[in-house]
């Protein structure tokens, strides 16, 4: 068949309605799906993809492989330059990268909007080369709006300073767990050229200082802020000033005492416009937790808060009664994460009665989660994800729950010792028709044979057996989850 026909067929297959959520087409998918990588074929695929008006992305396997083999020629570069929006080099070994490679990347992407180097094996020296190659093309800098460098051991304060000066329209910056960063980088972010456009910032798992956090709090249009697991801060003073803030993660900030969290959340009335709040592993007291929510409701005057996600997993100080009181103030909750908290059966009943839009609930390793909880959760018609691991639930209530929940997609029953083979039989017969993931680890009855049978019958269902082995289509695909 003519290569141009091959190329057009590839582009048309990628536009299939079977891929409704596709946002970008990977050049890797398009170019490496056939053995034919001739110049005519590559040009045909790229031309067809552009004709279908797809935004394009390139991953390391496609770019590095094709570039080294000389398949990406000058004509391809010209064709791609106005259509390549995303460079994805996550977890790539760039330890031996050269200036020529980075020059090629930037020449391919005069329209690049997003760069992801998360987890890439890249030294501080290579990072500097990467951005120096970009700075040499200042006309393209205004287009870059998203940079992700999480888990990058080579990212330094110097590189962050280059970023701060060079990307004036940046809206997303993810720098989680970059071991060489110091509080100097956080201060640089607060005064960067993009400070008026930055809406999403992740600096979790890094070293910080009270001064650097205070400066970050002044970012005017921030909507999403992750400060979880920061170290080096013993006294918090974070008067968040952006009324645009929608999501805040303060997980595992062990220097965050009751007074600091009240100043942060009450002093700025932030809960009256926040939609996501994560306090995982927080030492906040039950009285403080109750007070910040009830006082925020009084300030709002409407008697309810707009919160859609609340995570207080592993918050051992918050009493079950106060969790229930807060849940009643947040009827718009869609995700409630209470793993290893003091939530109990009454909490779950309150959730079922107060949060009709709930799609996700996690109450693993919580006391007194029993059959009545499953019965009440059946009333949540949009529930998609449920974790009741290590709960005291039995066969009959679980089977009834599975037949009632038509929208459930993720279910964890790990360690639920009261379950029997009836649960598997119900699933084989078609209960929970939307279910895509089932964890029955450490459930005594759930042998490898049953896991193989269930996953072989429900071939779109990922199943975890007693030994934490993962099955898809009747076959083990991983020894442990």
């Amino acid at each position: 068949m003519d290569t141009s026909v091959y190329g057009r067929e590839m582009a048309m297959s990628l536009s299939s309605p079977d891929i409704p959520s596709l946002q970008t087409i990977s050049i890797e998918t398009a170019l490496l799906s056939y053995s034919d990588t001739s110049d005519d074929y590559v040009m045909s695929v790229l031309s067809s993809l552009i004709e279908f008006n797809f935004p394009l992305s390139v991953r390391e396997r496609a770019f590095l492989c094709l570039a080294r083999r000389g398949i990406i020629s000058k004509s391809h570069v010209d064709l791609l330059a106005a259509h390549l929006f995303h460079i994805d080099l996550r977890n790539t070994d760039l330890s031996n990268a050269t200036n020529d490679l980075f020059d090629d990347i930037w020449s391919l992407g005069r329209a690049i909007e997003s760069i992801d180097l998360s987890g890439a094996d890249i030294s501080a020296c290579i990072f500097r080369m990467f951005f120096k190659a970009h700075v040499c093309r200042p006309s393209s800098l205004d287009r870059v709006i998203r940079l992700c460098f999480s888990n990058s051991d080579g990212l330094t304060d110097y590189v962050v300073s280059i970023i701060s000066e060079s990307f004036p329209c940046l809206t997303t910056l993810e720098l989680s767990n970059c071991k060489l960063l110091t509080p100097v980088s956080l201060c640089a972010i607060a005064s960067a050229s993009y400070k008026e456009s930055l809406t999403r910032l992740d600096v979790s798992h890094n070293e910080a200082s009270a001064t650097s956090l205070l400066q970050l709090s002044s970012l005017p249009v921030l909507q999403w802020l992750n400060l979880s697991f920061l170290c080096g801060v013993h006294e918090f003073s974070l008067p968040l000033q952006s009324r645009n803030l929608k999501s805040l993660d303060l997980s595992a900030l062990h220097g965050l005492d009751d007074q600091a969290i009240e100043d942060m959340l009450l002093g700025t009335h932030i809960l009256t416009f926040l939609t996501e709040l994560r306090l995982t592993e927080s030492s906040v007291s039950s009285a403080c937790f109750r007070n910040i929510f009830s006082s925020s409701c009084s300030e709002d005057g409407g008697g309810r808060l707009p919160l859609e996600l609340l995570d207080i997993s592993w918050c051992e100080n918050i009493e079950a009664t106060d969790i229930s009181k807060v849940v009643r103030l947040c009827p718009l909750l869609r995700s409630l994460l209470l793993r290893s908290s003091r939530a109990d059966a009454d909490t779950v009943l309150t959730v079922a009665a107060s949060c009709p839009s709930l799609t996700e609930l996690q109450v693993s390793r919580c006391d007194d989660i029993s059959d009545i909880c499953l019965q009440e959760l059946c009333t949540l018609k949009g529930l998609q994800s449920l974790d009741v691991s290590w709960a005291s639930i039995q066969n009959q209530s679980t089977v009834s729950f599975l037949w009632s929940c038509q929208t459930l997609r993720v279910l964890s029953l790990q360690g639920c010792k009261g379950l029997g083979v009836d649960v598997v039989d119900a699933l084989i017969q078609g209960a929970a028709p939307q279910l895509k993931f089932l964890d029955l680890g450490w459930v005594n009855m759930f042998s490898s044979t049953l896991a193989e049978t269930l996953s072989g019958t429900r071939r779109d269902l990922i199943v975890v057996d007693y030994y934490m082995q993962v099955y898809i289509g009747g076959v083990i695909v991983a020894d442990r989850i």
Side-chain angles (χ1 to χ4, degrees):
M1 185 183 292
D2 185 271
T3 55
S4 63
V5 178
Y6 265 126
R8 187 167 180 81
E9 285 190 349
M10 167 58 70
M12 292 181 69
S13 69
L14 290 170
S15 66
S16 165
D18 295 331
I19 321 177
S21 61
L22 206 56
Q23 294 180 341
T24 61
I25 296 295
S26 170
I27 295 172
E28 173 186 11
T29 302
L31 299 188
L32 301 183
S33 296
Y34 291 109
S35 58
D36 181 4
T37 51
S38 65
D39 219 52
D40 288 344
Y41 171 72
V42 173
M43 284 294 287
S44 173
V45 170
L46 296 180
S47 298
S48 298
L49 288 173
I50 290 169
E51 178 185 341
F52 280 97
N53 202 30
F54 286 124
L56 303 180
S57 68
V58 62
R59 291 207 64 183
E60 71 282 355
R61 180 165 167 252
F63 179 80
L64 299 180
C65 177
L66 296 175
R68 287 169 183 164
R69 291 168 59 188
I71 296 172
I72 297 181
S73 65
K74 178 64 169 64
S75 56
H76 302 150
V77 170
D78 291 340
L79 187 62
L80 282 171
H83 295 270
L84 180 62
F85 290 91
H86 179 52
I87 291 180
D88 184 348
L89 298 176
R90 287 172 295 173
N91 305 311
T92 306
D93 183 0
L94 295 173
S95 56
N96 296 315
T98 64
N99 274 320
D100 290 342
L101 172 62
F102 295 135
D103 284 337
D104 288 344
I105 289 178
W106 291 121
S107 66
L108 263 177
R110 293 194 291 273
I112 288 173
E113 295 180 356
S114 172
I115 304 163
D116 195 339
L117 293 172
S118 299
D121 184 0
I122 183 168
S123 67
C125 179
I126 300 296
F127 255 120
R128 288 196 295 271
M129 281 198 299
F130 184 81
F131 283 105
K132 284 181 178 178
H134 190 188
V135 171
C136 290
R137 296 177 171 82
S139 61
S140 65
L141 299 181
D142 288 354
R143 294 181 177 272
V144 178
I145 59 174
R146 178 177 178 266
L147 296 176
C148 301
F149 304 130
S150 297
N151 304 306
S152 297
D153 292 346
L155 191 71
T156 63
D157 292 337
Y158 173 73
V159 175
V160 172
S161 70
I162 295 177
I163 295 171
S164 298
E165 297 168 358
S166 306
F167 297 87
C169 295
L170 204 63
T171 63
T172 297
L173 182 59
E174 297 182 11
L175 304 176
S176 176
N177 194 33
C178 296
K179 297 178 180 178
L180 297 181
L181 293 189
T182 72
V184 171
S185 288
L186 303 191
C187 293
I189 292 170
S191 59
S193 61
Y194 50 75
K195 68 178 182 180
E196 299 292 336
S197 62
L198 193 67
T199 59
R200 184 182 180 97
L201 176 63
D202 183 353
V203 290
S204 60
H205 295 269
N206 287 313
E207 183 184 355
S209 67
T211 301
S212 61
L213 289 181
L214 187 60
Q215 293 190 33
L216 280 182
S217 70
S218 65
L219 290 169
V221 296
L222 208 57
Q223 297 179 13
W224 192 97
L225 178 60
N226 187 349
L227 301 176
S228 62
F229 293 88
L230 289 180
C231 61
V233 184
H234 304 291
E235 293 184 6
F236 280 84
S237 178
L238 195 61
L240 295 164
Q241 297 175 18
S242 173
R243 292 192 64 85
N244 297 301
L245 197 64
K246 299 299 182 185
S247 177
L248 180 61
D249 193 337
L250 302 174
S251 299
L253 297 179
H254 298 294
L256 191 66
D257 59 18
D258 283 358
Q259 187 60 56
I261 198 168
E262 284 189 353
D263 290 344
M264 188 186 308
L265 299 182
L266 280 180
T268 54
H269 311 308
I270 193 173
L271 285 178
T272 61
F273 47 86
L274 206 64
T275 58
E276 297 182 357
L277 177 63
R278 294 174 174 85
L279 295 170
T280 310
E281 295 186 37
S282 170
S283 59
V284 61
S285 71
S286 196
C288 175
F289 179 73
R290 179 183 67 248
N291 181 52
I292 59 177
F293 279 87
S294 59
S295 297
S296 295
C297 262
S298 299
E299 292 289 343
D300 181 57
R304 68 178 191 177
L305 296 172
L307 211 60
E308 296 178 8
L309 181 150
L310 177 63
D311 187 351
I312 53 171
S313 301
W314 293 284
C315 290
E316 300 174 351
N317 298 330
I318 304 176
E319 300 285 351
T321 52
D322 286 328
I323 298 175
S324 295
K325 288 177 181 177
V326 166
V327 165
R328 292 189 187 98
L329 299 176
C330 305
L332 302 180
L333 277 173
R334 298 179 63 83
S335 294
L336 182 59
L337 314 181
L338 305 172
R339 294 163 292 176
S340 295
S341 70
R342 300 180 72 170
D344 58 16
D346 286 340
T347 308
V348 175
L349 300 185
T350 301
V351 170
S354 305
C355 306
S357 300
L358 199 76
T359 61
E360 179 183 20
L361 177 64
Q362 296 183 3
V363 285
S364 60
R365 294 187 180 274
C366 293
D367 292 338
D368 196 29
I369 305 300
S370 58
D371 292 338
I372 191 172
C373 297
L374 289 184
Q375 294 170 17
E376 293 302 314
L377 288 174
C378 290
T379 63
L380 297 174
K381 300 306 181 183
L383 190 64
Q384 297 180 18
S385 178
L386 177 66
D387 185 350
V388 289
S389 298
W390 303 94
S392 301
I393 55 177
Q394 304 300 315
N395 250 353
Q396 184 175 349
S397 62
T398 305
V399 170
S400 297
F401 173 77
L402 290 173
W403 281 111
S404 299
C405 287
Q406 299 297 303
T407 58
L408 197 67
R409 299 179 66 84
V410 176
L411 177 62
S412 179
L413 300 172
Q414 189 179 119
C416 295
K417 302 298 186 180
L419 301 182
V421 71
D422 291 350
V423 172
V424 176
D425 289 341
L427 290 168
I428 289 175
Q429 293 166 22
Q434 302 299 318
L435 197 64
K436 301 301 180 186
F437 178 86
L438 175 67
D439 185 351
L440 285 169
W442 311 119
V443 176
N444 293 341
M445 64 84 188
F446 200 53
S447 64
S448 299
T449 302
L450 278 178
E452 183 178 338
T453 301
L454 176 57
S455 66
T457 305
R458 298 273 296 261
R459 302 190 69 84
D460 60 344
L461 178 62
I462 300 171
V463 177
V464 181
D465 74 357
Y466 177 89
Y467 299 103
M468 308 303 288
Q469 298 175 123
V470 182
Y471 287 76
I472 300 177
V475 178
I476 295 178
V477 296
D479 287 336
R480 289 189 69 84
I481 191 171

